[in-house]
Amino acid sequence: MTIISRTKHLQNRLFLYLNTLRYLKLSQLFYLMYYRVFGFSKKVTKRSVPIKKIDIFFPQYKEPVFIDRNTIFLLNRKKNIFGKIDWMPKKETKLWNYNLHYFDDLTAIRSSERRILQQHFIDDWVENKDTNDYRWDPYPTSLRVINFLKWSTKEKNIPDYFNHLIYEHAEHIRNNLEFHLGGNHLLTNAKALIFCGLFLDEPNNKFLKRGIEILDKELNEQFFADGGHYERSPMYQNIMVYDLMDIYNLFSKTNPTCPIKKRLQKTIFSTLQWSKVMTHQDGSMAYFNDSCEEVAPSINILMNYSKHLGLEKVDKFNNEIIFLDNSNFVRANSGSFSVFIDVGVVGPNYLPGHAHDEISSFELDLNKKRIFVNSGISTYENNEKRFIQRSIKSHNCLNVKGNNFSEVWGGFRVARRAKRDFFSIDNNRVTISCSSKTYKSIGVENINRSFEFKGNKILIHDSIPCKNQIEVNFHLHPDMLIEKINQKEAIIKFEKIKLLFKSSKSIVIKDGTWNKSFSKVMNNKQIKISFYGRNLVSTIEDISNG
């Protein structure tokens, strides 16, 4: 590498960091620097506080983790144990190690059948807990203590060390709140403190007070008036709705007159409605931003939980076009189609970690079957696979010369971002126009896309102001079969479903991948349209009865 090219590379990296850091809050920068220098503080405490026995029901929906003493199953990966349990296996990813320390098995389905096995893993973890690694990061610590406390409600023989263990967790979370991240991490910290405060028989209620204080603030900041969580991920939305219902459930049993309970109820109503709108006809969530299956509770689980809590009130939506005007998603119901469109920018500005480059992208289902899908996620590692999964090419939208519209990088970072210049809903048409500095640098002022809904036919109009090398991708669900019938048309089929896809330009059918979940990648087909020009019209028509 020459001196000139090295200087240019360093300059680009500097601008990348500056364009990322400039969006952060001052408080985030302070805590980022503080935790980077000092790390999370693990203070030794010998205090032990009795745990209250609470008669309460918590749903079980996750799959078992502890298969037997020699087998752990996490994130679709099986880990065999030979001899001593390795609580920090170096060959596994950070996310896998995080999940290992959540102890989700304690609240997984058929949990009661594994009591002896669970006690074995808990005892071993406690014997090896005094190390400074991922196991004491605030997020896994928060999830673990919540699972410990839920487990204690059904366990007759609580270990003697449990009173000290729970207090130790509570103190550690209170001293290491994730203000550098915020978002779902900070809400999880608050939930953990509230659980500890309501379970621990402690007179001054310091954990409960701190947890409610954070929750009260974050309910205002993190949830839009339309019910959406501000990280704009259907997966994290469902996780957050479930967390709010857990907190509401515990307050109902232990402190039913707590003032924040009414605010929780109102938020749960609106967030459930949002989740319902952003759910496909088959009950699966739309894959926008960081979303995939087998992580968050499904809408059916959420609805059943809300019914148990007496919170099942969710308005039915009969509108042909529903606009979630704060979180900026559109659902259009046209004929037998449901179409979901992302019409918003990366958000929130200071927390883009779970954002993808997907403005104007869409998903589509027909008769309870997903047809066009975004590609989802299978990893959180900072690698090429993660970069591709967040990039514009992995979503159903237009790009110019293969460039990203928003500058995603580093696993969980975004530098320069797309800006929405125009948006409208007019009768049966949704139109969006957006721009970005990355595209202006290659001579493209903006890109434009409109969806026109005509019953069982949908027209997608794509355009840019001047001629350039355009690429548009349409990713199909793995169940879909596709057959090209001429240069510009193809038939998409699944069982009784039959669609005609037409384009004003030549199409190419390519092999691709769809990421159902972490470490679970499936082969699929994608339609790629690449040409030099300005305009493209794509038509999707239901010909199942034709």
Side-chain angles (χ1 to χ4, degrees):
M1 185 181 287
T2 65
I3 294 176
I4 294 175
S5 61
R6 186 178 298 171
T7 302
K8 184 68 174 177
H9 173 73
L10 291 173
Q11 185 183 51
N12 290 338
R13 293 294 294 179
L14 176 62
F15 281 121
L16 193 67
Y17 276 96
L18 289 175
N19 283 318
T20 302
L21 293 172
R22 71 188 183 93
Y23 291 100
L24 299 184
K25 294 179 177 180
L26 288 176
S27 59
Q28 278 182 292
L29 289 169
F30 170 79
Y31 281 103
L32 275 170
M33 294 298 295
Y34 180 87
Y35 286 137
R36 186 64 60 91
V37 174
F38 299 105
F40 298 121
S41 61
K42 180 68 172 68
K43 296 180 180 179
V44 177
T45 177
K46 295 182 178 180
R47 190 173 176 190
S48 181
V49 177
I51 301 170
K52 301 173 188 174
K53 194 69 175 178
I54 300 173
D55 183 16
I56 187 171
F57 165 80
F58 291 107
Q60 298 176 344
Y61 72 90
K62 294 187 177 180
E63 291 298 317
V65 175
F66 304 143
I67 309 305
D68 53 45
R69 287 189 173 219
N70 301 309
T71 313
I72 294 172
F73 190 79
L74 278 170
L75 300 179
N76 298 302
R77 286 177 55 81
K78 184 170 72 171
K79 179 78 174 177
N80 293 318
I81 301 168
F82 301 100
K84 185 178 174 60
I85 301 172
D86 183 359
W87 287 104
M88 198 57 58
K90 293 180 180 179
K91 290 185 179 180
E92 301 298 339
T93 65
K94 180 178 179 179
L95 183 65
W96 197 96
N97 277 300
Y98 257 39
N99 274 261
L100 177 61
H101 293 280
Y102 295 167
F103 272 81
D104 277 341
D105 189 84
L106 304 186
T107 57
I109 57 177
R110 302 184 301 277
S111 176
S112 61
E113 299 174 8
R114 299 185 300 282
R115 289 303 190 201
I116 296 174
L117 180 62
Q118 290 167 347
Q119 190 64 67
H120 164 73
F121 279 97
I122 294 172
D123 289 343
D124 194 275
W125 188 91
V126 171
E127 286 179 17
N128 296 278
K129 68 181 175 64
D130 294 323
T131 56
N132 189 19
D133 52 31
Y134 290 152
R135 75 192 71 192
W136 286 109
D137 280 10
Y139 188 68
T141 302
S142 296
L143 291 174
R144 182 172 60 248
V145 77
I146 291 166
N147 285 328
F148 281 165
L149 289 169
K150 286 184 177 182
W151 181 78
S152 74
T153 65
K154 303 301 179 187
E155 183 60 32
K156 294 179 180 178
N157 302 311
I158 301 296
D160 293 337
Y161 57 71
F162 226 62
N163 293 342
H164 166 71
L165 183 68
I166 299 301
Y167 188 86
E168 181 182 34
H169 276 67
E171 276 285 20
H172 183 70
I173 295 163
R174 190 172 72 98
N175 292 328
N176 296 279
L177 294 163
E178 294 178 272
F179 291 117
H180 62 305
L181 295 176
N184 71 85
H185 278 238
L186 189 57
L187 267 177
T188 303
N189 299 160
K191 177 185 177 181
L193 289 177
I194 289 169
F195 263 62
C196 291
L198 292 172
F199 270 92
L200 290 174
D201 193 8
E202 190 195 34
N204 64 10
N205 283 329
K206 62 180 179 182
F207 302 123
L208 180 61
K209 290 175 182 175
R210 189 66 170 124
I212 290 176
E213 178 188 343
I214 296 168
L215 178 64
D216 186 50
K217 180 178 180 295
E218 296 305 312
L219 284 177
N220 286 330
E221 182 164 351
Q222 295 198 31
F223 293 95
F224 295 125
D226 65 12
H229 183 251
Y230 72 169
E231 293 187 70
R232 304 184 70 248
S233 155
M235 181 176 80
Y236 282 99
Q237 169 87 13
N238 285 10
I239 292 172
M240 293 295 97
V241 177
Y242 189 87
D243 283 345
L244 295 182
M245 287 197 284
D246 264 356
I247 297 169
Y248 182 90
N249 188 9
L250 190 55
F251 272 126
S252 297
K253 284 289 184 179
T254 59
N255 191 356
T257 59
C258 183
I260 203 168
K261 190 163 170 273
K262 286 187 176 180
R263 289 196 58 214
L264 277 170
Q265 183 182 60
K266 182 179 178 182
T267 307
I268 290 168
F269 282 151
S270 63
T271 53
L272 264 177
Q273 175 68 0
W274 193 98
S275 291
K276 186 74 173 174
V277 170
M278 293 299 293
T279 298
H280 282 284
Q281 296 179 53
D282 66 355
S284 60
M285 71 186 73
Y287 277 28
F288 289 105
N289 297 307
D290 275 347
S291 292
C292 67
E293 295 176 21
E294 301 174 359
V295 176
S298 68
I299 191 64
N300 289 335
I301 291 168
L302 294 177
M303 294 304 295
N304 288 334
Y305 196 7
S306 69
K307 187 175 182 179
H308 171 78
L309 298 175
L311 301 173
E312 67 270 31
K313 176 189 172 184
V314 176
D315 297 332
K316 293 183 178 180
F317 43 92
N318 298 314
N319 307 45
E320 289 187 355
I321 297 180
I322 303 162
F323 178 37
L324 299 168
D325 57 344
N326 302 114
S327 46
N328 287 299
F329 286 99
V330 170
R331 174 176 179 152
N333 302 307
S334 179
S336 299
F337 288 119
S338 290
V339 185
F340 305 80
I341 312 167
D342 186 344
V343 296
V345 296
V346 166
N349 267 339
Y350 58 87
L351 188 60
H354 293 297
H356 289 201
D357 188 13
E358 63 175 34
I359 189 168
S360 81
S361 185
F362 75 98
E363 291 202 332
L364 177 147
D365 65 42
L366 172 68
N367 295 330
K368 298 185 178 181
K369 189 64 190 176
R370 285 175 286 177
I371 310 294
F372 290 99
V373 291
N374 291 315
S375 295
I377 52 173
S378 67
T379 182
Y380 274 169
E381 290 297 283
N382 182 12
N383 54 26
E384 183 67 15
K385 185 183 292 183
R386 170 70 171 159
F387 174 76
I388 291 170
Q389 289 171 7
R390 294 180 76 203
S391 72
I392 198 166
K393 285 188 173 184
S394 295
H395 301 82
N396 298 313
C397 44
L398 172 151
N399 70 75
V400 178
K401 294 182 178 178
N403 288 289
N404 279 333
F405 209 50
S406 290
E407 211 166 11
V408 294
W409 69 284
F412 294 95
R413 294 179 172 85
V414 185
R416 293 177 293 179
R417 293 108 190 261
K419 182 178 72 170
R420 192 177 77 188
D421 300 317
F422 175 80
F423 170 74
S424 72
I425 297 176
D426 182 19
N427 294 324
N428 292 319
R429 183 187 286 264
V430 174
T431 302
I432 180 170
S433 177
C434 40
S435 61
S436 76
K437 289 184 178 179
T438 56
Y439 271 35
K440 287 181 178 179
S441 67
I442 58 173
V444 180
E445 286 296 314
N446 55 49
I447 63 171
N448 307 287
R449 168 169 274 190
S450 69
F451 295 81
E452 189 176 356
F453 303 101
K454 295 183 174 182
N456 286 334
K457 182 186 291 187
I458 299 169
L459 281 74
I460 303 173
H461 304 263
D462 289 304
S463 67
I464 59 174
C466 56
K467 288 186 176 182
N468 214 312
Q469 189 61 42
I470 294 176
E471 177 183 297
V472 183
N473 293 296
F474 296 90
H475 301 268
L476 291 167
H477 188 274
D479 288 342
M480 295 299 117
L481 301 175
I482 184 166
E483 179 185 352
K484 188 174 177 182
I485 55 178
N486 58 51
Q487 287 300 310
K488 298 180 180 180
E489 296 182 335
I491 296 292
I492 301 166
K493 293 186 290 187
F494 175 77
E495 295 180 350
K496 295 181 180 180
I497 291 174
K498 190 175 182 182
L499 296 175
L500 174 64
F501 182 91
K502 293 195 297 185
S503 172
S504 59
K505 303 292 182 180
S506 295
I507 65 175
V508 176
I509 310 300
K510 294 187 62 181
D511 292 329
T513 54
W514 180 67
N515 305 291
K516 183 175 183 178
S517 187
F518 287 98
S519 305
K520 187 178 283 189
V521 180
M522 303 175 70
N523 294 326
N524 73 339
K525 296 292 184 180
Q526 66 184 70
I527 302 168
K528 181 176 180 179
I529 305 168
S530 183
F531 65 98
Y532 184 81
R534 291 177 53 187
N535 300 291
L536 175 71
V537 179
S538 307
T539 304
I540 303 165
E541 183 178 359
D542 177 17
I543 56 171
S544 303
N545 299 319

